[in-house]
Amino acid sequence: QVQLVESGGGLVQAGGSLRLSCANSGRTGNYFSKSWFRQAPGKEREFVAAINWSGSNTVYADSVKGRFTVSRDNAKNTVFLQMNSLEPEDTAVYYCAAAPSASLANMKSAAGYNYWGQGTQVTVSS
């Protein structure tokens, strides 16, 4: 029903910035809550940030508060993750996830999301 495509990953030095994008296939996804998760090699997938359908509510993992900002532009069917002050610990594959807002009880739980993008690699060098 909803197809997600991430972009914007790459290699950046510590202290630098990247902006990730997650585009959904149509307007239907604009009524979904969207989240960013990340997974480093040998590590479990962890929550990064989430945003509700209108952008009025955002949630962040403690590890990225003050550094990352999630936003969305529904006119462009896109959610963004602005990542500033990047650290080597931020290195991971970043995934965009989506779920109907009405059915999502916990925005920070990966189990609640039924649509996932393919991931985009973020590498932060020291």
Side-chain angles (χ1 to χ4, degrees), residues 20-55:
L20 305 184
S21 299
C22 173
N24 50 262
S25 57
R27 290 188 175 92
T28 299
N30 295 342
Y31 297 95
F32 284 35
S33 292
K34 304 282 185 64
S35 293
W36 292 95
F37 291 79
R38 66 187 183 186
Q39 187 166 25
K43 301 291 184 65
E44 295 182 351
R45 186 169 298 186
E46 66 173 346
F47 171 79
V48 177
I51 189 168
N52 72 337
W53 76 270
S54 68

Side-chain angles (χ1 to χ4, degrees), residues 39-126:
Q39 187 166 25
K43 301 291 184 65
E44 295 182 351
R45 186 169 298 186
E46 66 173 346
F47 171 79
V48 177
I51 189 168
N52 72 337
W53 76 270
S54 68
S56 62
N57 184 35
T58 56
V59 182
Y60 297 93
D62 289 341
S63 60
V64 305
K65 285 181 180 177
R67 300 189 298 119
F68 291 10
T69 302
V70 63
S71 62
R72 68 193 300 165
D73 185 347
N74 285 341
K76 298 180 179 180
N77 301 333
T78 303
V79 169
F80 304 97
L81 183 67
Q82 179 66 46
M83 305 185 294
N84 299 326
S85 301
L86 283 163
E87 305 168 352
E89 292 77 14
D90 297 316
T91 296
V93 176
Y94 283 69
Y95 297 92
C96 179
S101 298
S103 66
L104 191 61
N106 182 1
M107 297 177 72
K108 303 170 75 172
S109 174
Y113 294 89
N114 48 359
Y115 296 99
W116 293 84
Q118 82 288 351
T120 185
Q121 177 71 47
V122 172
T123 303
V124 184
S125 62
S126 60

